[in-house]
Amino acid sequence: MGRQEAADELPPHVLIFPLPMQGHINSMLKLAELLCLSNLHVTMLFSEYSHSRLRRHADIESRFSRYPGFRVATMCDGLPDDHPRVGERTMEIMMSLLEVGGAQFRKLMETTDALSYGGGARRRVTCLIMDGVLSFAVPVAQEMGIPFIYFRTSSPCSFWANFCFNDVIQAGEIPLKGKDEDKYTYWKRGDLDLMVRSVPGMEGYLRRRDLPAFCRVDDANDSEFQTIIRETRRSAHSSGLILNSFEDLDGPILDQIRNPIPNLYSIGPLHTHLQARLQSSLTSSSFYQEDRSSMTWLDSQPAKSVVYVSFGSVTLLSRNELLEFWYGLVNSGHKFLWVMRPDSIIGDDEKGRVPVEVEEGTKERGCVLGWVPQNEVLVHPSVGAFFTHCGWNSTLESVAAGVPMICWPYFADQTINSRFVSEVWRVGLDMKDSCDRVIVEKMVREIMGERRDEFEERARAMADLANKAVSEGGTSSTNFNRLLHFIKSSL
């Protein structure tokens, strides 16, 4: 076989480029592995910072060593190594990349012959799948003749609301103002309970207080706010859009999105999809070291007796918020497993002593750890509910596990997700815009006791639909096969 004939036999080469944040990387790594299982060549483009975290805690090289067509490339995100990359400052990751990413991406693609490295062992990149806020890569892809698809790793409901923000502005429903106001005072504003009428498909349940915090600006021309609108609208100018959801969960909203973006691939829940194809448990994609003593502790607890508590990889809590949650959990009388990241508590008094009654209650009924293998925790028989920040990965993992939720959203898509959990899918309770031990205790008792059966029944039904979607012939499985066809036809 001649050299050209050998090159023609090479599989497509997909470049996957996530925003360098834990949640975005989680879902896009799962897509990468699904494509590797389909015998495609895949390159993941990480920031240097996120790659170092993955190497340290998730052993990514070992995980993907079974796939000879998998490679990693890196570039700088433009932030110093000591930047916290948590809390509301995560927005600085995107803004920094929009400033420096274009030149870096161009240099990478030009110096490596579109990541083929000129060696003949793999094609130049034949398809780019990029995070929905990284449009700076588009000019390079277009110049090199590479078709590109956006992957929005947030929820469809959040994406669609963001896509409609120009109409929401025209209707006078945003900006919400009060950006610098104390959030506890701000949350009490009565006008936040007004309905948002200008997002098609959400007229009956979306309130102003459900909109993300970046809508809380004094001027609609705020640069960060306009960046989010602009990047979201650009999704309509690609060859397609990938969403980590499934038709039975988000069908009405997906139908709305198909109006401006007809080539839509709903292929989730990706963790369930990948697990079904691997027929084995998933390995870690974590930026943090997972403490597996959590599983030993859960093994010793009765069935459905534990509230699992985790506010994700970027949420920050004041000491007062921490204690309100902690008192509420202890006072509920239920057992709890709480993920408390070492970097998650802010304030000068963060090292203050835990009150004796909280400490004693935790020793009796609780377990507090720095990080845990969340997928395994959620499917453990001892877990009866998930107290969550409602990030999209966590929400989908809970849906797929059939575990009801209590939602305390922190930022971004989480505020809309929590509304859908409580009012659309009705698989949990939404306690946004409050942080009160009495409410925490009440909601834990409600979801673990008084209304346990109704929440469990709906959660189990939704989990069945999630598994059906990723099974052979299911909607997500079919859409993934459509995506494969598109990638292969791009050669």
Side-chain angles (χ1 to χ4, degrees):
M1 183 182 293
R3 186 171 181 177
Q4 183 58 50
E5 291 173 308
D8 290 342
E9 293 296 317
L10 291 171
H13 179 188
V14 182
L15 172 59
I16 299 181
F17 189 6
L19 184 70
M21 292 174 60
Q22 175 78 83
H24 295 246
I25 288 171
N26 272 350
S27 51
M28 295 185 90
L29 264 176
K30 291 177 176 65
L31 174 60
E33 192 161 359
L34 280 168
L35 295 177
C36 287
L37 286 167
S38 302
N39 298 314
L40 303 188
H41 284 170
V42 177
T43 298
M44 284 290 299
L45 177 52
F46 296 118
S47 71
E48 293 164 356
Y49 176 86
S50 58
H51 185 226
S52 69
R53 295 293 295 266
L54 287 168
R55 291 185 67 188
R56 195 179 321 146
H57 301 301
D59 194 9
I60 187 171
E61 278 85 359
S62 175
R63 170 180 171 181
F64 281 89
S65 61
R66 73 184 87 173
Y67 306 115
F70 180 80
R71 298 285 187 276
V72 167
T74 62
M75 57 182 265
C76 179
D77 63 13
L79 296 173
D81 288 344
D82 61 356
H83 188 284
R85 294 172 174 83
V86 294
E88 294 181 0
R89 292 192 68 186
T90 52
M91 185 69 180
E92 295 171 22
I93 301 173
M94 184 179 81
M95 300 304 288
S96 176
L97 272 171
L98 290 174
E99 183 177 341
V100 306
Q104 291 206 41
F105 184 72
R106 179 177 295 280
K107 180 181 178 182
L108 174 70
M109 295 294 280
E110 289 179 349
T111 58
T112 61
D113 190 21
L115 294 167
S116 70
Y117 296 95
R122 44 204 290 126
R123 296 177 184 271
R124 301 167 86 244
V125 169
T126 59
C127 181
L128 169 62
I129 297 176
M130 61 184 170
D131 212 308
V133 293
L134 302 180
S135 64
F136 59 78
V138 170
V140 180
Q142 290 175 328
E143 289 170 26
M144 293 186 166
I146 302 170
F148 60 93
I149 297 176
Y150 279 110
F151 181 171
R152 296 302 302 225
T153 59
S154 60
S155 61
C157 52
S158 170
F159 169 79
W160 180 235
N162 291 6
F163 195 90
C164 296
F165 274 166
N166 283 332
D167 295 329
V168 184
I169 292 170
Q170 288 297 315
E173 295 169 329
I174 52 175
L176 299 177
K177 302 187 181 298
K179 182 177 183 180
D180 298 320
E181 192 175 342
D182 172 72
K183 66 181 178 181
Y184 292 102
T185 303
Y186 183 86
W187 287 346
K188 295 176 182 177
R189 284 175 40 175
D191 63 320
L192 293 180
D193 290 319
L194 294 173
M195 303 303 291
V196 176
R197 304 288 185 184
S198 48
V199 179
M202 297 190 196
E203 299 91 343
Y205 44 81
L206 187 67
R207 306 163 302 174
R208 294 187 184 186
R209 74 170 63 252
D210 301 316
L211 295 173
F214 50 69
C215 295
R216 299 176 183 179
V217 293
D218 294 325
D219 183 354
N221 293 315
D222 177 88
S223 61
E224 289 188 0
F225 182 43
Q226 284 297 321
T227 296
I228 290 166
I229 294 174
R230 185 172 58 252
E231 292 297 311
T232 304
R233 298 290 299 187
R234 283 174 174 163
S235 298
H237 303 301
S238 68
S239 299
L241 175 65
I242 299 169
L243 290 169
N244 185 13
S245 187
F246 58 103
E247 297 293 328
D248 282 317
L249 183 70
D250 275 316
I253 299 302
L254 294 172
D255 286 342
Q256 293 288 346
I257 297 171
R258 287 187 180 98
N259 290 322
I261 311 175
N263 194 23
L264 183 66
Y265 303 98
S266 56
I267 59 174
L270 273 168
H271 72 286
T272 310
H273 202 154
L274 177 58
Q275 198 161 344
R277 300 213 177 197
L278 283 174
Q279 296 187 326
S280 65
S281 60
L282 303 182
T283 50
S284 172
S285 302
S286 177
F287 282 11
Y288 298 90
Q289 186 65 45
E290 294 176 343
D291 190 335
R292 297 200 60 83
S293 69
S294 54
M295 305 307 294
T296 305
W297 185 82
L298 285 172
D299 288 342
S300 67
Q301 307 305 318
K304 297 188 183 300
S305 66
V306 176
V307 180
Y308 168 53
V309 186
S310 175
F311 299 124
S313 59
V314 300
T315 299
L316 297 177
L317 300 177
S318 69
R319 179 167 171 78
N320 181 66
E321 289 168 335
L322 171 78
L323 289 177
E324 289 299 310
F325 290 138
W326 213 336
Y327 267 109
L329 289 164
V330 168
N331 293 344
S332 75
H334 288 278
K335 295 177 181 290
F336 60 92
L337 169 62
W338 190 348
V339 171
M340 198 181 294
R341 295 187 340 264
D343 61 350
S344 64
I345 313 304
I346 56 173
D348 295 335
D349 56 353
E350 64 181 4
K351 297 187 185 302
R353 181 169 174 77
V354 176
V356 173
E357 60 270 31
V358 170
E359 191 170 27
E360 291 301 317
T362 301
K363 286 179 182 177
E364 182 182 343
R365 292 186 297 279
C367 177
V368 179
L369 298 171
W371 201 250
V372 301
Q374 181 164 288
N375 277 321
E376 293 180 57
V377 166
L378 283 170
V379 298
H380 195 283
S382 296
V383 172
F386 185 11
F387 191 3
T388 173
H389 65 307
C390 233
W392 188 233
N393 286 325
S394 290
T395 302
L396 267 186
E397 287 163 10
S398 200
V399 164
V403 175
M405 287 167 267
I406 300 170
C407 306
W408 191 75
Y410 180 69
F411 77 147
D413 65 329
Q414 300 161 15
T415 53
I416 296 181
N417 299 346
S418 65
R419 185 65 170 170
F420 269 63
V421 166
S422 66
E423 300 302 315
V424 180
W425 308 316
R426 297 185 301 121
V427 292
L429 300 168
D430 185 3
M431 63 167 286
K432 70 160 56 74
D433 292 357
S434 63
C435 185
D436 184 293
R437 67 189 68 181
V438 175
I439 295 175
V440 173
E441 178 184 350
K442 178 180 179 296
M443 288 194 168
V444 170
R445 289 178 181 270
E446 196 171 336
I447 209 159
M448 293 291 285
E450 301 158 20
R451 300 178 62 190
R452 177 172 176 165
D453 291 345
E454 65 173 280
F455 281 121
E456 279 190 358
E457 183 179 355
R458 286 195 290 267
R460 279 198 305 269
M462 194 58 76
D464 290 341
L465 292 173
N467 282 297
K468 179 182 175 184
V470 301
S471 300
E472 187 173 353
T475 54
S476 293
S477 179
T478 300
N479 284 333
F480 179 72
N481 290 334
R482 283 181 49 237
L483 176 62
L484 285 177
H485 176 76
F486 171 83
I487 292 171
K488 291 175 181 177
S489 68
S490 67
L491 290 181

